[in-house]
Every structure is written in C-alpha cells, then in structure tokens.
Amino acid sequence: MQVFARLAELESFTKVAEAMQTGRPHVTRTIQDLEASLGVRLFQRTTRKVKLTAQGARFYERVKEILANIAETTTMFDRNGSALRGRLRIDIPTAFSQHRFMESLRRFTEAFPEIELALGVTDRRVDLVAEGIDCVVRIGDLPDSSMVARKIGTVIMVTCASPVYLRACGAPKTLHDLMDHRCVSFLSGQSNRPLPWHFSVDGEDHPYTPHGGITVNESNAYVQCGVAGFGIVQAPGIAVETFLANGELVEVLSSHRPQPRLVSVLYPSRTHLAPQVEAFVGWLKEHFPVLHPDWFIAPSPSIAG
C-alpha cells in the first residue's frame, strides 16, 4: 500500500524507487502483485506517465486512510516522542543553517530519538510530493499553492555592509543615498528574480530594488559577499548575527529596519498527517523563538543610523 500510494502521488516508477530507496523492478513487481490480488487495474501506463484508473483513485482514498490509521495506531500509547519513529525528511532555507538553529534542531532529535531525520538545505523552490519531502521551512511571502502553511515565527532583516566597504564608499544616511551605493542582490529561488529590499518609513513599508552590484542565489554566499566588501546586503538577522557581533559587518539605516519577515512551515496535507511530521510541526511552533531576544539582533552601533 505504501508503494501504491507513492506511485499515485509521484506518477513515476523511477521516482518511487528513488524516494523509497529501492529498485525500480521491485516497485513494478509490487504494483503488479497488488493488481493481481485485487483483480483490477489500478494504473494506466504510458511511456511518459502513470495515471490512476477510476478504480485506482477509489482505492487510493481508502489506502490513505488505512496508512494514516496504521501510523496513528503504532504511536497510540505514547505521544511524548519516545514511541514516535520513522523517517522524516525536511528542508530549511540556507540562512537557517547556522549554529543557533542547528543546535535547536539537535534538541528535537534528542526529544524524538527514534525519528530518523533527513535534512535538506536549499533556497530553491521544492516539489514536496515529487521529491519525497515531508515539510519545508521558508522565509517571507509564500506563493499560491495547495500546500498547508503554518506560521511559526518571524525573523528580522538587517541592512549591513563591511567596514572596508563603508570606509571606501561611506555609509548611506537616507534611503535616497542607496542610489549611490553598490548593493548585493539575492536571486529568489521561488520567482527566479532578485528579491526587493524593504524599509520602514513612518511605520509604512517601502520596497527598494537593489542595484549596482553582484547577484547571488545562495544565502551563505550572499552574506559572504557583504563580508568581502562587494556592497550592502539585507539579510535575516540569524544569518548575519555572528558577523555583526565580531565587527565583520556593520548595520546601516537601522532607523529604517523593516518589519520582521514571516517564517512558515509547509506540508502537503492537513489530513492524515504522519505522526513524525505532526511532531516536528508542533515542535517548531512551540520552540521557534518568535520573541526570543537571542534571535533578534539588538540595534548595534552603526556608522549611520
């Protein structure tokens, strides 16, 4: 039933074999045996696609319920984590691959020692179903999709540059001054376009399109461009807090610091959520420090504020 459900979702024998870490012949044989035992054809097969038949679609709805009931039954005696087991594949933005978040993630594995965690780190848009990912954490506005999104907190955005750059080019005093500065742009993995910066002016949001510098599509490389003196960057506080603390980056335009950006966890379906996914989503909601001061950069001494 698990193989059948994955094939119904991925519509590819090869993708199912990769997702379940088995051979394609095993997947094919499993489906053939299932169809033979039921006496019905569950899939229409072509050279390019595998689609559910009408009988297969009806069977899939029942299978989802059965698999969910099995998962719930195997953890019915202990919901505090000790009985929760299974593989959990998650994906986080590169900006979160810092010591503070990873240390917090380690505490999740200690609370749920029987859950096998598979961690992906990427800034691109991922297809949860096709890639076999249980849930993703993302920063900022979310594209319209069929995914379930739950807010788990916020992160601040900090505009900063290296002391080397600021000594050579000066610091912007106003937002208008940014026109005379080199800026590092971040290429969005969602839209494949540079992300606009945001500033707060009298409580209102003012977007700004950075220009005049290098464009980067990976968060850590983006921050390193700022440290290396390519120009001004605007990044999540968690990604730059270490560099602000040791003086490799200096905040600018702190009086126009934008409103914190939303952090959400996304997963495919609200119904029949696997217990280990439910545990992780609940843990994120409880432990992600929405107002914890360590996650927010206190206004640091800046060359221009």
mmCIF file of all heavy atoms in Angstrom, residues 196-234:
data_model
loop_
_atom_site.group_PDB
_atom_site.id
_atom_site.type_symbol
_atom_site.label_atom_id
_atom_site.label_comp_id
_atom_site.label_asym_id
_atom_site.label_seq_id
_atom_site.Cartn_x
_atom_site.Cartn_y
_atom_site.Cartn_z
ATOM 1 N N PRO A 196 13.255 42.124 -3.709
ATOM 2 C CA PRO A 196 13.332 43.530 -3.301
ATOM 3 C C PRO A 196 13.694 43.633 -1.821
ATOM 4 O O PRO A 196 13.412 42.725 -1.040
ATOM 5 C CB PRO A 196 11.916 44.051 -3.562
ATOM 6 C CG PRO A 196 11.048 42.831 -3.426
ATOM 7 C CD PRO A 196 11.863 41.684 -3.939
ATOM 8 N N TRP A 197 14.340 44.714 -1.465
ATOM 9 C CA TRP A 197 14.563 45.010 -0.054
ATOM 10 C C TRP A 197 13.341 45.762 0.465
ATOM 11 O O TRP A 197 12.532 46.286 -0.293
ATOM 12 C CB TRP A 197 15.801 45.887 0.118
ATOM 13 C CG TRP A 197 17.083 45.183 -0.195
ATOM 14 C CD1 TRP A 197 17.246 43.886 -0.576
ATOM 15 C CD2 TRP A 197 18.385 45.769 -0.170
ATOM 16 N NE1 TRP A 197 18.571 43.610 -0.782
ATOM 17 C CE2 TRP A 197 19.297 44.739 -0.537
ATOM 18 C CE3 TRP A 197 18.886 47.026 0.121
ATOM 19 C CZ2 TRP A 197 20.671 44.956 -0.618
ATOM 20 C CZ3 TRP A 197 20.248 47.255 0.052
ATOM 21 C CH2 TRP A 197 21.138 46.236 -0.313
ATOM 22 N N HIS A 198 13.232 45.801 1.785
ATOM 23 C CA HIS A 198 12.132 46.536 2.404
ATOM 24 C C HIS A 198 12.669 47.419 3.515
ATOM 25 O O HIS A 198 13.595 47.026 4.240
ATOM 26 C CB HIS A 198 11.080 45.568 2.952
ATOM 27 C CG HIS A 198 10.355 44.808 1.875
ATOM 28 N ND1 HIS A 198 9.167 45.252 1.329
ATOM 29 C CD2 HIS A 198 10.650 43.648 1.239
ATOM 30 C CE1 HIS A 198 8.766 44.396 0.407
ATOM 31 N NE2 HIS A 198 9.653 43.416 0.341
ATOM 32 N N PHE A 199 12.071 48.607 3.643
ATOM 33 C CA PHE A 199 12.428 49.531 4.712
ATOM 34 C C PHE A 199 11.155 50.092 5.328
ATOM 35 O O PHE A 199 10.109 50.165 4.678
ATOM 36 C CB PHE A 199 13.295 50.676 4.170
ATOM 37 C CG PHE A 199 14.631 50.231 3.655
ATOM 38 C CD1 PHE A 199 14.818 49.983 2.298
ATOM 39 C CD2 PHE A 199 15.699 50.036 4.516
ATOM 40 C CE1 PHE A 199 16.046 49.559 1.808
ATOM 41 C CE2 PHE A 199 16.938 49.604 4.040
ATOM 42 C CZ PHE A 199 17.108 49.367 2.689
ATOM 43 N N SER A 200 11.251 50.473 6.561
ATOM 44 C CA SER A 200 10.121 51.064 7.261
ATOM 45 C C SER A 200 10.320 52.578 7.355
ATOM 46 O O SER A 200 11.357 53.046 7.852
ATOM 47 C CB SER A 200 9.998 50.465 8.668
ATOM 48 O OG SER A 200 8.906 51.041 9.359
ATOM 49 N N VAL A 201 9.334 53.319 6.871
ATOM 50 C CA VAL A 201 9.368 54.785 6.934
ATOM 51 C C VAL A 201 8.059 55.251 7.551
ATOM 52 O O VAL A 201 6.991 55.060 6.961
ATOM 53 C CB VAL A 201 9.554 55.412 5.536
ATOM 54 C CG1 VAL A 201 9.552 56.940 5.646
ATOM 55 C CG2 VAL A 201 10.835 54.918 4.884
ATOM 56 N N ASP A 202 8.146 55.811 8.740
ATOM 57 C CA ASP A 202 6.949 56.267 9.462
ATOM 58 C C ASP A 202 5.910 55.160 9.588
ATOM 59 O O ASP A 202 4.703 55.378 9.439
ATOM 60 C CB ASP A 202 6.328 57.490 8.766
ATOM 61 C CG ASP A 202 7.250 58.697 8.749
ATOM 62 O OD1 ASP A 202 8.017 58.840 9.722
ATOM 63 O OD2 ASP A 202 7.220 59.464 7.773
ATOM 64 N N GLY A 203 6.392 53.949 9.836
ATOM 65 C CA GLY A 203 5.506 52.818 10.041
ATOM 66 C C GLY A 203 4.987 52.174 8.775
ATOM 67 O O GLY A 203 4.244 51.196 8.848
ATOM 68 N N GLU A 204 5.356 52.697 7.620
ATOM 69 C CA GLU A 204 4.903 52.140 6.352
ATOM 70 C C GLU A 204 6.046 51.427 5.647
ATOM 71 O O GLU A 204 7.206 51.827 5.753
ATOM 72 C CB GLU A 204 4.329 53.236 5.446
ATOM 73 C CG GLU A 204 3.060 53.888 5.999
ATOM 74 C CD GLU A 204 2.464 54.871 5.002
ATOM 75 O OE1 GLU A 204 3.020 54.991 3.883
ATOM 76 O OE2 GLU A 204 1.447 55.499 5.336
ATOM 77 N N ASP A 205 5.691 50.376 4.896
ATOM 78 C CA ASP A 205 6.689 49.591 4.181
ATOM 79 C C ASP A 205 7.060 50.257 2.867
ATOM 80 O O ASP A 205 6.191 50.661 2.093
ATOM 81 C CB ASP A 205 6.143 48.186 3.910
ATOM 82 C CG ASP A 205 7.120 47.350 3.111
ATOM 83 O OD1 ASP A 205 8.173 46.999 3.671
ATOM 84 O OD2 ASP A 205 6.835 47.048 1.932
ATOM 85 N N HIS A 206 8.364 50.380 2.637
ATOM 86 C CA HIS A 206 8.865 50.944 1.387
ATOM 87 C C HIS A 206 9.785 49.934 0.721
ATOM 88 O O HIS A 206 10.902 49.704 1.176
ATOM 89 C CB HIS A 206 9.626 52.260 1.647
ATOM 90 C CG HIS A 206 8.741 53.442 1.858
ATOM 91 N ND1 HIS A 206 8.670 54.501 0.986
ATOM 92 C CD2 HIS A 206 7.852 53.703 2.846
ATOM 93 C CE1 HIS A 206 7.789 55.387 1.433
ATOM 94 N NE2 HIS A 206 7.284 54.920 2.569
ATOM 95 N N PRO A 207 9.334 49.291 -0.365
ATOM 96 C CA PRO A 207 10.210 48.354 -1.074
ATOM 97 C C PRO A 207 11.286 49.100 -1.853
ATOM 98 O O PRO A 207 11.089 50.250 -2.276
ATOM 99 C CB PRO A 207 9.261 47.604 -2.003
ATOM 100 C CG PRO A 207 8.118 48.542 -2.207
ATOM 101 C CD PRO A 207 7.983 49.348 -0.945
ATOM 102 N N TYR A 208 12.409 48.434 -2.038
ATOM 103 C CA TYR A 208 13.509 49.033 -2.787
ATOM 104 C C TYR A 208 14.182 47.933 -3.604
ATOM 105 O O TYR A 208 14.435 46.838 -3.093
ATOM 106 C CB TYR A 208 14.530 49.678 -1.837
ATOM 107 C CG TYR A 208 15.759 50.208 -2.531
ATOM 108 C CD1 TYR A 208 15.731 51.430 -3.189
ATOM 109 C CD2 TYR A 208 16.951 49.482 -2.542
ATOM 110 C CE1 TYR A 208 16.860 51.919 -3.840
ATOM 111 C CE2 TYR A 208 18.080 49.963 -3.182
ATOM 112 C CZ TYR A 208 18.028 51.183 -3.828
ATOM 113 O OH TYR A 208 19.140 51.673 -4.481
ATOM 114 N N THR A 209 14.459 48.227 -4.867
ATOM 115 C CA THR A 209 15.131 47.258 -5.731
ATOM 116 C C THR A 209 16.626 47.538 -5.720
ATOM 117 O O THR A 209 17.060 48.580 -6.223
ATOM 118 C CB THR A 209 14.601 47.342 -7.180
ATOM 119 O OG1 THR A 209 13.191 47.114 -7.179
ATOM 120 C CG2 THR A 209 15.283 46.307 -8.054
ATOM 121 N N PRO A 210 17.432 46.645 -5.127
ATOM 122 C CA PRO A 210 18.882 46.880 -5.074
ATOM 123 C C PRO A 210 19.492 46.816 -6.467
ATOM 124 O O PRO A 210 18.972 46.150 -7.365
ATOM 125 C CB PRO A 210 19.394 45.749 -4.175
ATOM 126 C CG PRO A 210 18.360 44.682 -4.274
ATOM 127 C CD PRO A 210 17.053 45.375 -4.477
ATOM 128 N N HIS A 211 20.614 47.511 -6.642
ATOM 129 C CA HIS A 211 21.235 47.570 -7.956
ATOM 130 C C HIS A 211 22.731 47.818 -7.799
ATOM 131 O O HIS A 211 23.229 48.097 -6.714
ATOM 132 C CB HIS A 211 20.610 48.717 -8.778
ATOM 133 C CG HIS A 211 20.967 50.074 -8.235
ATOM 134 N ND1 HIS A 211 20.329 50.609 -7.133
ATOM 135 C CD2 HIS A 211 21.903 50.981 -8.612
ATOM 136 C CE1 HIS A 211 20.850 51.796 -6.865
ATOM 137 N NE2 HIS A 211 21.804 52.045 -7.729
ATOM 138 N N GLY A 212 23.414 47.704 -8.910
ATOM 139 C CA GLY A 212 24.804 48.148 -8.965
ATOM 140 C C GLY A 212 25.839 47.198 -8.420
ATOM 141 O O GLY A 212 26.985 47.591 -8.208
ATOM 142 N N GLY A 213 25.472 45.942 -8.201
ATOM 143 C CA GLY A 213 26.454 45.020 -7.653
ATOM 144 C C GLY A 213 26.281 43.625 -8.198
ATOM 145 O O GLY A 213 25.756 43.410 -9.292
ATOM 146 N N ILE A 214 26.676 42.651 -7.423
ATOM 147 C CA ILE A 214 26.613 41.251 -7.811
ATOM 148 C C ILE A 214 25.273 40.640 -7.398
ATOM 149 O O ILE A 214 24.649 41.091 -6.433
ATOM 150 C CB ILE A 214 27.789 40.478 -7.162
ATOM 151 C CG1 ILE A 214 27.889 39.041 -7.695
ATOM 152 C CG2 ILE A 214 27.677 40.493 -5.648
ATOM 153 C CD1 ILE A 214 29.133 38.312 -7.212
ATOM 154 N N THR A 215 24.802 39.638 -8.130
ATOM 155 C CA THR A 215 23.582 38.906 -7.789
ATOM 156 C C THR A 215 23.959 37.479 -7.398
ATOM 157 O O THR A 215 24.725 36.822 -8.097
ATOM 158 C CB THR A 215 22.603 38.872 -8.978
ATOM 159 O OG1 THR A 215 22.234 40.214 -9.316
ATOM 160 C CG2 THR A 215 21.340 38.096 -8.615
ATOM 161 N N VAL A 216 23.409 36.997 -6.269
ATOM 162 C CA VAL A 216 23.775 35.696 -5.708
ATOM 163 C C VAL A 216 22.490 34.912 -5.449
ATOM 164 O O VAL A 216 21.460 35.485 -5.097
ATOM 165 C CB VAL A 216 24.565 35.864 -4.390
ATOM 166 C CG1 VAL A 216 25.077 34.528 -3.888
ATOM 167 C CG2 VAL A 216 25.730 36.832 -4.577
ATOM 168 N N ASN A 217 22.570 33.556 -5.593
ATOM 169 C CA ASN A 217 21.365 32.736 -5.404
ATOM 170 C C ASN A 217 21.471 31.792 -4.215
ATOM 171 O O ASN A 217 20.668 30.873 -4.080
ATOM 172 C CB ASN A 217 21.057 31.940 -6.674
ATOM 173 C CG ASN A 217 22.095 30.863 -6.965
ATOM 174 O OD1 ASN A 217 23.140 30.809 -6.313
ATOM 175 N ND2 ASN A 217 21.815 30.018 -7.937
ATOM 176 N N GLU A 218 22.444 32.010 -3.316
ATOM 177 C CA GLU A 218 22.614 31.152 -2.135
ATOM 178 C C GLU A 218 22.913 32.031 -0.935
ATOM 179 O O GLU A 218 23.749 32.937 -0.999
ATOM 180 C CB GLU A 218 23.748 30.153 -2.392
ATOM 181 C CG GLU A 218 23.783 28.974 -1.446
ATOM 182 C CD GLU A 218 24.605 29.244 -0.185
ATOM 183 O OE1 GLU A 218 25.406 30.203 -0.175
ATOM 184 O OE2 GLU A 218 24.439 28.482 0.786
ATOM 185 N N SER A 219 22.206 31.782 0.176
ATOM 186 C CA SER A 219 22.206 32.714 1.303
ATOM 187 C C SER A 219 23.580 32.919 1.927
ATOM 188 O O SER A 219 23.973 34.057 2.230
ATOM 189 C CB SER A 219 21.220 32.235 2.377
ATOM 190 O OG SER A 219 19.916 32.214 1.883
ATOM 191 N N ASN A 220 24.300 31.825 2.182
ATOM 192 C CA ASN A 220 25.614 31.977 2.822
ATOM 193 C C ASN A 220 26.584 32.729 1.919
ATOM 194 O O ASN A 220 27.360 33.578 2.393
ATOM 195 C CB ASN A 220 26.182 30.600 3.190
ATOM 196 C CG ASN A 220 25.457 29.983 4.369
ATOM 197 O OD1 ASN A 220 24.946 30.685 5.240
ATOM 198 N ND2 ASN A 220 25.393 28.665 4.412
ATOM 199 N N ALA A 221 26.560 32.435 0.614
ATOM 200 C CA ALA A 221 27.405 33.166 -0.335
ATOM 201 C C ALA A 221 26.999 34.635 -0.393
ATOM 202 O O ALA A 221 27.850 35.529 -0.536
ATOM 203 C CB ALA A 221 27.326 32.532 -1.715
ATOM 204 N N TYR A 222 25.690 34.878 -0.267
ATOM 205 C CA TYR A 222 25.185 36.256 -0.272
ATOM 206 C C TYR A 222 25.772 37.051 0.901
ATOM 207 O O TYR A 222 26.285 38.159 0.729
ATOM 208 C CB TYR A 222 23.663 36.217 -0.187
ATOM 209 C CG TYR A 222 22.982 37.563 -0.090
ATOM 210 C CD1 TYR A 222 22.899 38.401 -1.198
ATOM 211 C CD2 TYR A 222 22.408 37.995 1.104
ATOM 212 C CE1 TYR A 222 22.262 39.629 -1.119
ATOM 213 C CE2 TYR A 222 21.773 39.219 1.185
ATOM 214 C CZ TYR A 222 21.702 40.036 0.072
ATOM 215 O OH TYR A 222 21.083 41.249 0.154
ATOM 216 N N VAL A 223 25.724 36.468 2.092
ATOM 217 C CA VAL A 223 26.274 37.140 3.263
ATOM 218 C C VAL A 223 27.785 37.330 3.111
ATOM 219 O O VAL A 223 28.336 38.379 3.454
ATOM 220 C CB VAL A 223 25.951 36.342 4.543
ATOM 221 C CG1 VAL A 223 26.682 36.920 5.750
ATOM 222 C CG2 VAL A 223 24.441 36.350 4.791
ATOM 223 N N GLN A 224 28.471 36.315 2.577
ATOM 224 C CA GLN A 224 29.916 36.418 2.403
ATOM 225 C C GLN A 224 30.292 37.521 1.416
ATOM 226 O O GLN A 224 31.363 38.135 1.540
ATOM 227 C CB GLN A 224 30.478 35.075 1.939
ATOM 228 C CG GLN A 224 30.519 34.015 3.017
ATOM 229 C CD GLN A 224 31.422 34.401 4.186
ATOM 230 O OE1 GLN A 224 32.436 35.077 4.018
ATOM 231 N NE2 GLN A 224 31.034 33.973 5.382
ATOM 232 N N CYS A 225 29.424 37.785 0.447
ATOM 233 C CA CYS A 225 29.673 38.912 -0.452
ATOM 234 C C CYS A 225 29.670 40.227 0.318
ATOM 235 O O CYS A 225 30.473 41.135 0.038
ATOM 236 C CB CYS A 225 28.616 38.951 -1.558
ATOM 237 S SG CYS A 225 28.867 37.740 -2.867
ATOM 238 N N GLY A 226 28.759 40.323 1.294
ATOM 239 C CA GLY A 226 28.753 41.515 2.139
ATOM 240 C C GLY A 226 30.016 41.621 2.967
ATOM 241 O O GLY A 226 30.633 42.692 3.078
ATOM 242 N N VAL A 227 30.440 40.508 3.564
ATOM 243 C CA VAL A 227 31.656 40.493 4.382
ATOM 244 C C VAL A 227 32.876 40.850 3.542
ATOM 245 O O VAL A 227 33.789 41.547 4.001
ATOM 246 C CB VAL A 227 31.840 39.106 5.042
ATOM 247 C CG1 VAL A 227 33.170 39.014 5.760
ATOM 248 C CG2 VAL A 227 30.687 38.825 6.007
ATOM 249 N N ALA A 228 32.899 40.389 2.283
ATOM 250 C CA ALA A 228 34.046 40.625 1.412
ATOM 251 C C ALA A 228 34.092 42.042 0.847
ATOM 252 O O ALA A 228 35.082 42.423 0.221
ATOM 253 C CB ALA A 228 34.032 39.617 0.261
ATOM 254 N N GLY A 229 33.018 42.821 1.049
ATOM 255 C CA GLY A 229 33.038 44.206 0.608
ATOM 256 C C GLY A 229 32.456 44.468 -0.767
ATOM 257 O O GLY A 229 32.712 45.506 -1.371
ATOM 258 N N PHE A 230 31.659 43.505 -1.300
ATOM 259 C CA PHE A 230 31.022 43.724 -2.596
ATOM 260 C C PHE A 230 30.032 44.879 -2.550
ATOM 261 O O PHE A 230 29.776 45.520 -3.557
ATOM 262 C CB PHE A 230 30.292 42.460 -3.046
ATOM 263 C CG PHE A 230 31.174 41.443 -3.704
ATOM 264 C CD1 PHE A 230 31.833 40.502 -2.952
ATOM 265 C CD2 PHE A 230 31.345 41.431 -5.083
ATOM 266 C CE1 PHE A 230 32.645 39.555 -3.560
ATOM 267 C CE2 PHE A 230 32.149 40.496 -5.704
ATOM 268 C CZ PHE A 230 32.813 39.551 -4.935
ATOM 269 N N GLY A 231 29.424 45.091 -1.391
ATOM 270 C CA GLY A 231 28.434 46.146 -1.268
ATOM 271 C C GLY A 231 27.534 45.903 -0.077
ATOM 272 O O GLY A 231 27.842 45.104 0.811
ATOM 273 N N ILE A 232 26.396 46.576 -0.068
ATOM 274 C CA ILE A 232 25.440 46.485 1.038
ATOM 275 C C ILE A 232 24.547 45.269 0.821
ATOM 276 O O ILE A 232 24.173 44.947 -0.313
ATOM 277 C CB ILE A 232 24.597 47.768 1.120
ATOM 278 C CG1 ILE A 232 25.514 48.988 1.354
ATOM 279 C CG2 ILE A 232 23.565 47.682 2.236
ATOM 280 C CD1 ILE A 232 24.785 50.315 1.274
ATOM 281 N N VAL A 233 24.207 44.588 1.895
ATOM 282 C CA VAL A 233 23.297 43.446 1.833
ATOM 283 C C VAL A 233 22.155 43.666 2.817
ATOM 284 O O VAL A 233 22.283 44.432 3.775
ATOM 285 C CB VAL A 233 24.014 42.115 2.165
ATOM 286 C CG1 VAL A 233 25.131 41.838 1.175
ATOM 287 C CG2 VAL A 233 24.542 42.105 3.590
ATOM 288 N N GLN A 234 21.042 42.992 2.570
ATOM 289 C CA GLN A 234 19.946 42.945 3.537
ATOM 290 C C GLN A 234 19.602 41.478 3.742
ATOM 291 O O GLN A 234 19.186 40.800 2.800
ATOM 292 C CB GLN A 234 18.716 43.712 3.055
ATOM 293 C CG GLN A 234 17.629 43.823 4.124
ATOM 294 C CD GLN A 234 16.441 44.674 3.693
ATOM 295 O OE1 GLN A 234 15.500 44.150 3.095
ATOM 296 N NE2 GLN A 234 16.466 45.964 3.990
#
